[in-house]
Amino acid sequence: MISIQTQHFNFHRIFLLAVGLWPYQQSWLVKFQLVLFFSIQISFILFQLTVFISAKCTPDLVIKVLSIVLLLIMYAIEYNSFRMNAQAVRCLFEQLQHICNELKDENEIAIIKKYGNNAKRYAAILMLLYICITIIMFLLPILPRLLGFVLHINATQPRVMQQLMPNYIIDQGKHFYLILLYMYAALLIGATALVGIGMTLLSYLKHACGMFRIASYRIEKAITMWTNTRLENEIIIYKEIAYAVDIHCKAIKFSLFLLYSFRRSHILLISVGVICLTLNLYAIAVNASHGGDVEQLLLHFLIAVIIFLYLFLANYAGQEITDHNDYVYFTAYTVRWYTASVHVQKLILFLLQRGSKTFSLNFGGVVSLSLELFAALTKASLSYFTVIYSMQQ
């Protein structure tokens, strides 16, 4: 028997527990943690925007502030969407566990374990990237002071600190470490939530791919079982094909339920992500061409990498779902169906007719998650960046 939570979602559970988003055991203390963490994120965003109160609003200032704020808004949107859909997340866990419990064939169990292990590998890679980027982000604000302490020189106020926290609100020199703690808390909560939620949703979709692969395996198994025209064998083949169609329908319903639960928030996330990527590409170009501060250049580069990875992984997962669904019908087409009886051939024909309609994770009938959409979003970001950069020259 496969225990989904302990075998395939142990990394995810750690991340989600850290930010209070694990959908089980929601005590009053966890609910307080949710409110506190979300309040920290929102208040930090508001602090970023207060710079427009006293400072003169120029295009450069707007781009400079929004390039940071939009990433924080993405953190808040993702955190809140998962918090609001805790029941849907539990339901997805239960559906997945129920489907795994129904698997009796050793090969089918091996398939779902293979895809579960692949999901764990993706989670491990994301954890490694998360640790590396977090360490760099944490060192940026304190690096000048560390160098000043080691080299015994007067350290200037870090420009990254000035950009992340407006100086006129609080005296940064007097309350440096308090502000630093507040900034670290907001960034760490948002980044941990984004990685934990991303790993969970990606793992859900990888398990859905495993279900599609099991459907293909059952079709292959049904046809290879055919040896003669005896009624008993024919009935067994009917059952095997019915089992294949059953798990295929479950995979589609599972994927659609996941899409339906998070469709609004992820449409907004993709839109904000494209704008954020555009602004950070502009900030990178400006700092690189005008010999800007290295710390700010590195900060905007890291943000661009985060957005780029988010857009790529989301669309890659959607492309995987489409490809695995198509492979089910490809299997039905390539197996030796012509050796089966006429009744079995008719069943295969129904499958092939259904395969004429491509299944994809479609948002509102407008766009579908795919590598094609990722290329389009990247191209759009580069186009917007080019227009903004040319207008500012």
Side-chain angles (χ1 to χ4, degrees), residues 1-5 7-9 92-105 108-109 111-113 116 207-208 210-211 214 218 247 250:
M1 180 178 174
I2 303 174
S3 177
I4 292 298
Q5 292 186 26
Q7 295 182 22
H8 297 168
F9 286 86
L92 287 165
F93 269 122
E94 293 167 1
Q95 288 183 32
L96 192 55
Q97 185 64 63
H98 179 69
I99 292 171
C100 291
N101 291 341
E102 291 180 339
L103 301 178
K104 304 301 179 183
D105 189 294
E108 294 177 2
I109 295 174
I111 289 173
I112 204 69
K113 283 185 176 180
H207 282 83
M211 297 180 213
I214 291 173
R218 288 180 178 178
I247 197 167
K250 289 178 178 178

Side-chain angles (χ1 to χ4, degrees), residues 42-51 165-166 169-170 182:
I42 296 300
S43 62
F44 191 65
I45 293 173
L46 294 177
F47 270 122
Q48 298 296 306
L49 296 176
T50 51
V51 70
M165 184 63 68
I169 300 176
I170 302 175
Y182 175 53

Side-chain angles (χ1 to χ4, degrees), residues 218-257:
R218 288 180 178 178
I219 293 174
E220 292 175 348
K221 180 181 177 182
I223 300 303
T224 54
M225 286 174 59
W226 181 261
T227 55
N228 50 50
T229 58
R230 288 185 302 173
L231 180 61
E232 182 181 353
N233 287 342
E234 200 165 328
I235 292 175
I236 293 175
I237 293 177
Y238 290 159
K239 290 182 178 179
E240 289 295 331
I241 294 177
Y243 292 152
V245 173
D246 177 64
I247 197 167
H248 181 253
C249 291
K250 289 178 178 178
I252 291 177
K253 290 179 181 178
F254 182 85
S255 303
L256 289 178
F257 182 69

